[in-house]
Amino acid sequence: MFPSEALFPLTEEQREIQRTVREFAAAEITPHTAQWDRDSYFEAALVKKLGDLGLLGMLIPEQYDGLGLDALTYLLALEEMSTHDASVGVMMSVHNSLPTQMILNYGTDAQKERWLPPMARGELLGAFALSEPGSGSDASSLSAQAVHDGDDWIITGTKSWVTQGTHAGVILAMARTDTPDARRGGKGISTFIITPDLPGFNVGKKEDKLGMRASPTVALNFDEMRVPADRLLGTEGMGFIYAMQSLDHGRLGIAAQALGIATAAAEAARAYAAERRQFDQPIKDFQAVQFKLADMASRIASARALLYTTARAKDAGQTITQFGAMCKLLASETAMWTTTNAIQIFGGYGYVTEYPVERLFRDAKVTEIYEGTSEVQRIVIARELYPRS
Ligand code: CAA
């Protein structure tokens, strides 16, 4: 009932992928979503199952066992998954948008051959480790330090807010490769391919979160962790640029996730408003309720139109830094607004766990925070209004 097809006709392949996600979610995910949320439980068996369906290799070329799909088709699948379970949505988003894309875009042929096929098949889950306890929005001020030891690197530091860091088999982590007496800002950061078997790797504190509770978020401690030379991604000193370019794409994924959450909340509110009677009529007959639903439909359609248009621009090879930030900003604020107003339509029933809208509200909040807060998105958008000479 909050459709996009009138504006964006989908191909048969895109509809088939949406259907696959919907049926898989109905069979394997939604019967457990409320319980996993309550227990803060990550269903590790889902990783291989998603891999078997191709959902963890959507953007990886077929030569590396992926599906080699375009960005729009991937985002449609991610949006669909997020209408059913946003925690599973973020698993798909982080894996498909960040670590696999970074290896694909900046890795050597040997790195692609080694890491991409098992990641596409769901044998290795990917994660992304940029933030630290002292550096979040100001990402280039990170302090994890990598130093040479013969051909190896020794990395010491703590990464924080790492989505699925508990179960990741491959983590793309940023660390400084400049020296404390000659800091080079963003140019002094490199990206490394980290695996949990490296000596000195430890999973730290698991966060007890408001929402997305079925997606584990942890700190990772690198204690003089020895990293072989072939784990440096691309060129030394380019790691921050790689992270920023990858986040341009990652932000489209978070926008799709936010749209999925918004759509689920809007649909729940629409259905409830038709059933719930007060003052001798269904509450959908009150204009106060109709206006909320109309605003939900309008906001969702606008955010979706921007996202799909931006995805097509990306598929056409355009740089989407500014529009990617707009997509995330608009979709995440739409998710927060829609879930807030869905609770309002449900009244007291929206505030309790009997209905899904309170979970959707909790899940929506982080889409305004991770992969760059709404304030960071506005910085990115505003900067492009005054290009550097
Ligand atoms: N594409 C290409 N290059 C880029 C770029 C982009 N999108 N953004 C920046 N750069 C380049 C700049 O051109 C610059 O290069 P030059 O020096 O050659 O000009 C260099 O990178 C440094 O850029 P800035 O000067 O803009 O860097 P800054 O320190 O001012 O930071 C910022 C800018 C936009 C605020 C950035 O720090 C940022 O995006 N912060 C938010 C970080 C973030 O999103 N973190 C989320 C972590 S992941 C997560 O949430 C967890 C999860 O698992 C889901």
Side-chain angles (χ1 to χ4, degrees), residues 90 93-94 98 106 126-131 135-141 160-165 184-187 216-217 240-249 251 254 319-322 328 366 369-373 375-377 379-380 383-384 388:
V90 76
S93 180
V94 169
L98 296 172
Y106 314 113
F128 178 78
L130 174 64
S131 302
S135 69
S137 293
D138 186 7
S140 65
S141 70
S160 46
W161 311 113
V162 182
T163 300
Q164 61 217 23
R184 302 189 60 223
K187 298 278 166 40
T217 302
F240 184 70
I241 307 274
Y242 297 159
M244 289 297 112
Q245 286 173 339
S246 305
L247 282 166
D248 286 349
H249 184 232
R251 287 167 184 163
I254 302 305
T319 301
I320 48 96
T321 303
Q322 188 184 33
K328 181 178 180 290
V366 77
I369 298 173
Y370 60 20
E371 297 206 18
T373 60
E375 291 72 19
V376 163
Q377 307 314 318
I379 291 172
V380 172
R383 277 183 176 185
E384 301 275 331
R388 289 187 239 189

Side-chain angles (χ1 to χ4, degrees), residues 112-125:
K112 291 179 204 176
E113 274 155 29
R114 176 167 179 193
W115 301 109
L116 291 178
M119 293 178 88
R121 294 192 297 261
E123 292 157 13
L124 285 178
L125 185 62

Side-chain angles (χ1 to χ4, degrees), residues 52-127:
D52 289 344
L53 289 173
L55 297 176
L56 295 183
M58 300 195 77
L59 300 169
I60 296 175
E62 290 177 20
Q63 74 177 110
Y64 301 117
D65 289 354
L67 296 183
L69 293 169
D70 55 279
L72 179 58
T73 306
Y74 155 60
L75 294 168
L76 288 165
L78 178 52
E79 183 185 336
E80 179 67 39
M81 180 63 83
S82 302
T83 64
H84 305 289
D85 190 319
S87 289
V88 182
V90 76
M91 184 215 298
M92 272 179 68
S93 180
V94 169
H95 178 94
N96 280 292
S97 300
L98 296 172
T100 56
Q101 286 300 289
M102 291 183 89
I103 294 173
L104 184 65
N105 291 332
Y106 314 113
T108 61
D109 287 346
Q111 286 170 336
K112 291 179 204 176
E113 274 155 29
R114 176 167 179 193
W115 301 109
L116 291 178
M119 293 178 88
R121 294 192 297 261
E123 292 157 13
L124 285 178
L125 185 62

Side-chain angles (χ1 to χ4, degrees), residues 306-382:
L306 182 63
L307 178 64
Y308 293 3
T309 308
T310 304
R312 286 189 170 140
K314 178 174 170 26
D315 285 330
Q318 289 180 36
T319 301
I320 48 96
T321 303
Q322 188 184 33
F323 285 107
M326 286 181 196
C327 287
K328 181 178 180 290
L329 178 65
L330 190 57
S332 60
E333 294 193 345
T334 295
M336 204 60 236
W337 187 90
T338 301
T339 54
T340 303
N341 283 283
I343 291 182
Q344 199 65 24
I345 289 174
F346 273 79
Y349 291 108
Y351 197 64
V352 294
T353 56
E354 189 179 340
Y355 288 94
V357 286
E358 63 82 32
R359 174 174 46 77
L360 294 165
F361 169 84
R362 290 186 286 106
D363 286 349
K365 184 60 206 171
V366 77
T367 66
E368 294 183 320
I369 298 173
Y370 60 20
E371 297 206 18
T373 60
S374 293
E375 291 72 19
V376 163
Q377 307 314 318
R378 288 186 168 93
I379 291 172
V380 172
I381 295 162

